[in-house]
Amino acid sequence: MIFVIDKAIPFIEGVLEPYGSVRYMEGSAINAEAVKDADALIIRTRTRCGSALLDGSSVKLISTATIGVDHIDLDYCKKHGIYIHNAAGCNAGGVMNYVLSALFGVASRKRLHLSESKIGIVGVGNVGSRVASALHLLGFNTLLCDPPRAEAEGAAQFCDLDFLLRNSDVVTMHVPLNNSTRGMADAAFFSKMKLGAVFINASRGEVVVEADLKEAIPKLGSVIIDTWCHEPQVDTELINMVDIATPHIAGYSYQGKLIGTSMAVRAVARYFNIKELFDFFPNPKGEHKDAVKLDLRGLSEGQIASALQYNYPIFTDDFMFRMNPANFESLRENYSYRREFFID
């Protein structure tokens, strides 16, 4: 068997070598010639999987170590019998950490009081649910908008988007990128938000119409952006307009990467019946694999902000990105994965 692997996927080197021929490549450099005789691709979002890459290839499985699949032409793969597996939920803890650190960080810097805030969560899948749970533990009221879940489970715990936008002091985006979400945060979206509301996007860049966001920023409060349109060529004007700007690393926790790689490898193992890897989990030496428990009960907002920044100093990521936005890909590929925390 032949496996083509994005070399930026951590903890995977040496895992599949006993079971076939392995080619490690830059994700964006994986091309039709490289996959022509491959049986499986193990990739991230930088490899676009469609007809241009896959026509005439022998690829049977695409295992992406990411939660999103918008870089994969699902219709093409279904038509050509290519099985797709994603690492759903692997980065939920990391993104939750990002949202809390960013929100309390900007509140501390701008002297905002969060205690009475309603927080609107748009998209309540693995990531949005984890964010909601952490916010509930901190005593926040949340508004949840997730039309597919509302249809499947009943509307009782959900609200529609207009109601959420008009009644939320913070709006945080956690939707997948598809035809219904692309460009959803547009001029009409921002016009419905409360004056001074905080906006966070740590989902996909293309869910936001960036020109409309720039027009809306004067009426908004803090704006926190981790994902951008046209990555890695990002809008530097927008970077300079927002309060926190980071290079698509919200989910880049050490624990999330361990889980993502394990899920990607296990999918390959089960598809090709490599029994030794059915329960694979990386075991790197000398690293902290367990998340840190934070007891934030009884703390003031300022104390919570300090505790969160100690565990994830998000303004360091912001500073490094602002210093050289052209290093977008390098900052991601050479990122020092942070240790996750969870709220007790």
Side-chain angles (χ1 to χ4, degrees):
M1 288 181 288
I2 297 175
F3 308 108
V4 176
I5 301 176
D6 183 328
K7 70 177 188 178
I9 296 174
F11 318 120
I12 199 170
E13 187 172 352
V15 174
L16 286 163
E17 276 80 348
Y19 310 101
S21 174
V22 180
R23 299 171 187 157
Y24 295 99
M25 302 180 64
E26 294 279 357
S28 59
I30 295 174
N31 57 28
E33 182 63 27
V35 309
K36 185 176 180 180
D37 57 351
D39 295 286
L41 310 182
I42 306 177
I43 59 166
R44 302 181 306 141
T45 56
R46 289 302 181 254
T47 304
R48 312 299 298 185
C49 298
S51 59
L53 180 71
L54 299 168
D55 272 354
S57 78
S58 58
V59 173
K60 305 172 185 66
L61 167 70
I62 299 173
S63 184
T64 181
T66 63
I67 63 169
V69 293
D70 47 278
H71 53 299
I72 301 172
D73 187 333
L74 300 179
D75 290 336
Y76 175 95
C77 291
K78 182 178 180 180
K79 181 179 178 181
H80 290 83
I82 300 172
Y83 180 72
I84 306 300
H85 184 274
N86 68 317
C90 69
N91 69 344
V95 177
M96 178 272 286
N97 290 179
Y98 179 95
V99 170
L100 293 188
S101 183
L103 180 58
F104 276 88
V106 295
S108 178
R109 282 195 168 186
K110 301 183 84 167
R111 303 189 181 215
L112 305 175
H113 295 291
L114 297 173
S115 59
E116 301 300 320
S117 298
K118 283 186 179 178
I119 301 182
I121 301 174
V122 184
V124 198
N126 288 305
V127 175
S129 295
R130 188 74 175 269
V131 172
S133 295
L135 291 170
H136 287 155
L137 288 172
L138 291 173
F140 287 100
N141 292 319
T142 59
L143 297 174
L144 309 179
C145 177
D146 193 309
R149 282 194 61 188
E151 183 177 352
E153 303 168 27
Q157 65 176 317
F158 302 100
C159 65
D160 64 32
L161 183 61
D162 282 3
F163 182 88
L164 181 148
L165 295 176
R166 296 187 191 283
N167 291 278
S168 296
D169 302 290
V170 178
V171 175
T172 181
M173 307 291 291
H174 300 290
V175 296
L177 180 63
N178 54 40
N179 290 336
S180 66
T181 63
R182 188 181 298 275
M184 69 181 296
D186 58 8
F189 178 105
F190 293 117
S191 72
K192 295 169 186 173
M193 288 180 63
K194 293 172 69 173
L195 183 67
V198 176
F199 179 72
I200 305 171
N201 183 28
S203 58
R204 284 290 186 268
E206 286 77 11
V207 306
V208 175
V209 179
E210 291 183 341
D212 292 348
L213 173 59
K214 288 193 282 188
E215 290 292 323
I217 281 175
K219 74 159 267 188
L220 299 176
S222 297
V223 175
I224 297 157
I225 303 294
D226 180 60
T227 56
W228 310 79
C229 294
H230 314 302
E231 295 176 6
Q233 284 79 39
V234 296
D235 186 335
T236 54
E237 181 184 27
L238 181 57
I239 291 172
N240 292 326
M241 294 175 72
V242 304
D243 295 89
I244 292 180
T246 50
H248 201 155
I249 46 75
Y252 274 31
S253 70
Y254 186 77
Q255 286 70 29
K257 291 302 179 180
L258 289 171
I259 295 168
T261 297
S262 72
M263 294 174 75
V265 170
R266 289 181 186 189
V268 173
R270 295 187 188 288
Y271 188 92
F272 294 106
N273 198 33
I274 306 172
K275 294 181 180 179
E276 297 86 348
L277 298 178
F278 278 8
D279 299 314
F280 168 78
F281 197 86
N283 188 30
K285 296 179 180 179
E287 299 286 358
H288 300 293
K289 293 195 292 184
D290 296 325
V292 178
K293 180 173 72 173
L294 296 186
D295 184 356
L296 303 177
R297 290 171 293 185
L299 300 185
S300 67
E301 285 187 24
Q303 290 171 323
I304 292 174
S306 295
L308 295 176
Q309 291 300 311
Y310 177 81
N311 282 274
Y312 174 25
I314 194 169
F315 290 106
T316 299
D317 286 344
D318 171 82
F319 175 77
M320 294 299 293
F321 185 37
R322 289 180 192 277
M323 287 294 291
N324 195 345
N327 275 352
F328 189 95
E329 290 290 70
S330 177
L331 289 167
R332 298 184 81 220
E333 292 184 7
N334 298 297
Y335 190 77
S336 295
Y337 304 125
R338 58 189 185 270
R339 192 176 183 185
E340 279 185 23
F341 61 80
F342 63 94
I343 308 299
D344 183 30

